[in-house]
């Protein structure tokens, strides 16, 4: 998903072939992950987080300014319907009546509230408390106090995606209903090359059409930073799991240098595996 999202953005912004974009994204990410290890991942993540937040706030401001503020946003979104709907059912292209409700009907809702409350809670607990990507960062903390402070900061940062990602994506539908909300397969193929819909390009299109040249470059950096941050975490965690849980069982007397080399090799192998898997996915 991370590679595909990054490739889509590169394709929209630079006009590169999606396969070339995937390979370039993986190569750059693997380069500084393999050479720098966890320290490089943590330092780049910190810098990228700052860039992401600043850039996303700027884009959110441009987006809300374009629709005249939040009051108009709700009204305009409910009226954002593509021009060409052919004979397709209205349920496929009209915004849901409960769009602006977090707690939706347990029977008819697309995200029933019991699933959101209980299902997402279990999922979030798994990710934030047991996933290797998060645990590894906590174990690398300078002290327990630093780890606790980092976790609290992450909790506050998780409040931002609704405003920095979801709302701008919805505004993209308002501004470009025939593209972002297309439902006719032929129309979608014409706009984004996918017959199932063009919601994937909602955020990139907003960036490319609303932002001036300088800020557009900043937002390109923001998107790349976000995607590369996820990939570096996966690469580093995969190499750690292999090295410490498998390689040390095969070579119990391996020295630290040997373990480091093994970890870096597995990172590169994993990158190649991900690249091949992505390139083999049907589009």
């Amino acid at each position: 998903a991370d590679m595909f999202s990054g490739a889509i953005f590169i394709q929209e912004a630079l006009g590169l072939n999606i396969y070339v974009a995937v390979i370039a994204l993986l190569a750059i990410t693997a380069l500084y992950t393999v050479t720098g290890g966890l320290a490089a991942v943590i330092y780049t993540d910190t810098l990228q987080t700052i860039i992401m937040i600043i850039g996303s706030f700027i884009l959110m401001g441009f987006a809300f300014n374009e629709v005249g503020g939040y009051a108009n946003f709700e009204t305009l979104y409910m009226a954002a319907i593509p021009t060409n709907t052919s004979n397709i059912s209205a349920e496929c292209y009209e915004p849901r009546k409960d769009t602006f409700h977090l707690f939706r009907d347990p029977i008819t809702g697309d995200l029933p509230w019991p699933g959101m409350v209980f299902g997402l809670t279990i999922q979030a607990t798994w990710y934030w408390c047991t996933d290797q990507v998060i645990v590894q960062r906590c174990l690398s903390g300078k002290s327990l106090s630093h780890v606790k402070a980092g976790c609290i900061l992450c909790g506050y940062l998780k409040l931002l995606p609704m405003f920095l990602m979801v709302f701008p994506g919805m505004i993209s539908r308002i501004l470009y209903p025939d593209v972002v909300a297309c439902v006719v397969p032929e129309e979608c193929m014409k706009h984004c090359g996918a017959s199932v819909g063009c919601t994937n390009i909602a955020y990139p299109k907003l960036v490319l059409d609303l932002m001036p040249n300088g800020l557009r470059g900043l937002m390109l950096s923001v998107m790349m930073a976000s995607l590369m941050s996820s990939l570096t975490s996966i690469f580093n965690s995969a190499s750690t799991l292999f090295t410490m849980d498998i390689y040390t069982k095969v070579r119990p007397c391996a020295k630290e240098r040997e373990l480091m080399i093994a970890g870096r090799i597995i990172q590169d192998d994993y990158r190649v595996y991900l690249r091949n898997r992505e390139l083999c996915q049907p589009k």
Side-chain angles (χ1 to χ4, degrees):
D2 292 322
M3 286 186 293
F4 180 71
S5 302
I8 287 291
F9 193 86
I10 294 174
Q11 184 182 39
E12 289 293 315
L14 305 178
L16 290 179
N17 178 276
I18 192 167
Y19 300 111
V20 175
V22 166
I23 294 171
L25 184 64
L26 281 172
I28 295 171
T29 306
L31 178 64
Y32 73 81
T33 307
V34 171
T35 56
L38 181 61
V41 172
I42 291 176
Y43 282 119
T44 52
D45 277 4
T46 303
L47 177 61
Q48 288 167 348
T49 298
I50 297 171
I51 297 173
M52 280 188 279
I53 292 174
I54 294 173
S56 298
F57 265 113
I58 293 173
L59 179 62
M60 183 185 70
F62 272 96
F64 272 108
N65 180 65
E66 198 71 18
V67 297
Y70 187 83
N72 291 336
F73 164 60
E74 287 195 27
T75 305
L76 292 174
Y77 182 81
M78 298 307 292
I81 297 172
T83 305
N84 185 359
T85 58
S86 189
N87 295 320
I88 296 173
S89 171
E91 292 182 358
C92 296
Y93 58 81
E94 288 184 351
R96 293 177 58 90
K97 290 181 171 53
D98 58 1
T99 294
F100 292 93
H101 294 268
L102 283 177
F103 296 97
R104 301 180 181 180
D105 190 274
I107 305 299
T108 61
D110 58 341
L111 184 61
W113 71 261
M116 186 182 73
V117 172
F118 300 108
L120 293 182
T121 299
I122 295 171
Q123 186 182 45
T125 302
W126 157 74
Y127 180 75
W128 290 105
C129 299
T130 66
D131 190 271
Q132 172 68 12
V133 170
I134 303 300
V135 172
Q136 188 176 26
R137 281 162 169 69
C138 291
L139 293 176
S140 67
K142 186 176 181 180
S143 67
L144 186 59
S145 298
H146 283 211
V147 174
K148 290 179 178 178
C151 291
I152 293 172
L153 176 61
C154 285
Y156 281 111
L157 291 178
K158 285 298 290 182
L159 299 175
L160 298 178
M162 174 66 75
F163 307 97
L164 302 185
M165 297 170 63
V166 177
F167 285 168
M170 296 171 74
I171 291 174
S172 185
R173 177 187 172 117
I174 294 172
L175 299 177
Y176 319 107
D178 290 332
V179 177
V180 176
C182 69
V183 288
V184 179
E186 293 76 17
E187 287 292 312
C188 294
M189 284 294 294
K190 183 173 66 176
H191 291 303
C192 64
S195 60
V196 294
C198 292
T199 53
N200 285 332
I201 67 170
Y203 201 89
K205 187 163 182 62
L206 202 65
V207 171
L208 297 174
D209 288 4
L210 290 190
M211 306 286 274
N213 287 335
L215 291 177
R216 195 179 303 163
L218 173 65
M219 285 308 299
L220 177 60
S221 301
V222 167
M223 292 294 292
M224 291 301 99
S226 172
L227 299 163
M228 291 170 69
S229 172
S230 299
L231 289 174
T232 56
S233 300
I234 294 170
F235 290 159
N236 196 262
S237 296
S239 70
T240 301
L241 288 171
F242 173 83
T243 305
M244 304 310 296
D245 293 347
I246 298 177
Y247 193 81
T248 52
K249 301 297 186 293
V250 178
R251 296 270 300 167
C253 298
K255 295 183 179 180
E256 188 172 331
R257 179 177 176 78
E258 183 180 342
L259 294 176
M260 180 188 70
I261 294 173
R264 292 187 176 183
I265 291 174
I266 198 63
Q267 279 188 39
D268 196 52
D269 290 343
Y270 189 62
R271 175 187 65 81
V272 173
Y273 160 73
L274 288 178
R275 182 196 66 189
N276 292 337
R277 189 182 68 173
E278 183 67 23
L279 295 181
C280 292
Q281 289 294 322
K283 296 294 185 284

